[in-house]
Amino acid sequence: MAGSSGVGGGAGGGQGAGAGPGAALRAPRAPLLLAALVLGAYCLCTLPSRCPPAARAPVPAPARAEPLRAVGSPGAPGLPVASGPGRRRFPQALIVGVKKGGTRALLEFLRLHPDVRALGSEPHFFDRCYERGLAWYRSLMPRTLDGQITMEKTPSYFVTREAPGRIHGMSPDTKLIVVVRNPVTRAISDYAQTLSKTPGLPSFRALAFRHGLGPVDTAWSAVRIGLYAQHLDNWLRFFPLSRFLFVSGERLVSDPAGEVGRVQDFLGLKRVVTDKHFYFNATKGFPCLKKAQGSSNPHCLGKSKGRPHPRVPAAVVQRLRDFYRPFNRKFYQMTGQDFGWD
């Protein structure tokens, strides 16, 4: 991996009197094997999750509802009712990015709305499960009634080159939500998540730069995700800017009701989720819900959210700020929003 220090060197010192030639051959392999295990575990941790199992086989449209009969009066016609609990539909809106930007928080906040039905897990359909087909994808979706919106979120869609064309093929009217965050902070948060699963990972500095503090290594996904302008260019080949809403990950923390209000407007929903639903959790450092969906108890995101970041030298942070600045400014121009990262 670019930026990682080399592994090797001699065994150092002479061999013991009882050591045979086999020992001399085996000794240098130990550090190489250790490095291979560490980097292999890192690669596994950075891969998206597996394709989720379908809830059941694709469900056809429900049969036409029978008229409701009045209880105790056989044959008497009653009011018509909807057939069953609704039907599975393709999502009308997707949270497509970005990883470690606040997508999980936004999804949980939106699920409080009675007209939003969202898949809880990330299906990764448009990036790595596409060969399973649209019928399989629809079978994953929650059932909705007329007037309700079906949603899902998979943050890796935003950086997957094939995703925009595939989503456009499903529906060119899909509404797209992108939660963005200062790319330097986002990269460090991304690294912290992977480090929690792979303690032997090289330092952030070693992965972010080639040759010490040489050129920034854009091949590293934690850095590459933050090139928002480049990724958006790919999406604008398929969708007009009017199909997008860009949500500030920072404002989602400082003013969750305001940002969620913008999302509700974008989705054409009444502003049901408001400031009365949130309280600030000082321990975690971000807002939590006063009541979870379907519960009267407060709800904060899991312990994996709000984890402390590793200490990164100031010189490394400044180099990354300088690197991202022109990309950020282009992104501001493209979206018509200044996110205040510079």
Side-chain angles (χ1 to χ4, degrees):
M1 179 172 296
S4 301
S5 58
V7 181
Q15 297 178 18
L25 291 174
R26 287 192 299 269
R29 295 183 182 180
L32 291 172
L33 289 172
L34 178 61
L37 288 171
V38 168
L39 293 178
Y42 168 69
C43 292
L44 287 174
C45 287
T46 56
L47 286 174
S49 60
R50 294 180 179 179
C51 300
R56 55 176 61 88
V59 178
R64 181 172 299 181
E66 292 290 331
L68 181 66
R69 305 290 182 179
V71 176
S73 179
L79 296 175
V81 295
S83 174
R87 61 192 180 95
R88 302 183 195 277
R89 313 167 198 256
F90 292 120
Q92 296 97 345
L94 297 172
I95 300 175
V96 298
V98 297
K99 180 184 179 185
K100 305 308 296 180
T103 59
R104 171 56 60 183
L106 178 59
L107 184 72
E108 293 301 312
F109 297 163
L110 288 174
R111 291 176 79 181
L112 289 178
H113 200 292
D115 291 333
V116 171
R117 292 290 181 269
L119 188 64
S121 59
E122 297 175 4
H124 285 278
F125 176 67
F126 293 106
D127 58 350
R128 61 186 309 264
C129 301
Y130 192 65
E131 71 284 352
R132 297 203 173 189
L134 285 166
W136 175 84
Y137 180 56
R138 185 173 58 185
S139 77
L140 301 176
M141 297 302 131
R143 292 179 178 272
T144 55
L145 301 173
D146 291 341
Q148 293 181 321
I149 291 177
T150 303
M151 295 185 65
E152 69 111 325
K153 75 107 177 171
T154 303
S156 53
Y157 290 164
F158 191 61
V159 298
T160 299
R161 187 161 188 82
E162 299 81 9
R166 292 170 173 176
I167 294 171
H168 186 273
M170 176 187 72
S171 172
D173 296 324
T174 305
K175 293 184 177 182
L176 305 164
I177 300 170
V178 187
V179 187
V180 289
R181 182 183 183 187
N182 185 319
V184 178
T185 310
R186 197 223 65 81
I188 296 172
S189 180
D190 196 337
Y191 173 79
Q193 181 182 57
T194 308
L195 185 64
S196 69
K197 302 173 183 177
T198 315
L201 202 63
S203 71
F204 180 88
R205 170 176 173 169
L207 294 170
F209 301 96
R210 301 189 187 100
H211 315 301
L213 275 180
V216 174
D217 191 355
T218 56
W220 186 32
S221 65
V223 169
R224 187 175 65 253
I225 289 172
L227 302 175
Y228 303 142
Q230 289 189 357
H231 303 307
L232 182 57
D233 264 335
N234 184 42
W235 284 85
L236 292 178
R237 294 170 52 221
F238 298 90
F239 293 94
L241 196 61
S242 60
R243 306 308 302 174
F244 291 86
L245 179 70
F246 299 94
V247 175
S248 166
E250 287 81 12
R251 287 196 294 271
L252 200 57
V253 172
S254 64
D255 181 21
E259 284 300 280
V260 174
R262 292 179 60 238
V263 178
Q264 291 172 96
D265 293 345
F266 176 68
L267 296 175
L269 299 171
K270 183 179 178 180
R271 287 199 176 195
V272 171
V273 184
T274 63
D275 54 3
K276 69 182 180 182
H277 291 93
F278 302 98
Y279 75 95
F280 187 81
N281 186 303
T283 302
K284 281 186 166 292
F286 54 74
C288 298
L289 297 172
K290 290 181 180 178
K291 293 182 180 180
Q293 182 186 30
S295 170
S296 60
N297 298 321
H299 172 64
C300 282
L301 298 180
K303 63 181 181 180
S304 65
K305 307 298 181 182
R307 63 165 59 89
H309 289 179
R311 183 184 175 278
V312 177
V316 171
V317 172
Q318 188 58 51
R319 281 287 311 278
L320 281 178
R321 285 176 179 166
D322 295 341
F323 167 77
Y324 279 120
R325 188 171 294 111
F327 297 99
N328 292 343
R329 290 178 177 172
K330 182 181 179 184
F331 186 65
Y332 299 167
Q333 293 172 353
M334 296 171 74
T335 62
Q337 294 179 236
D338 186 337
F339 292 90
W341 298 327
D342 302 307

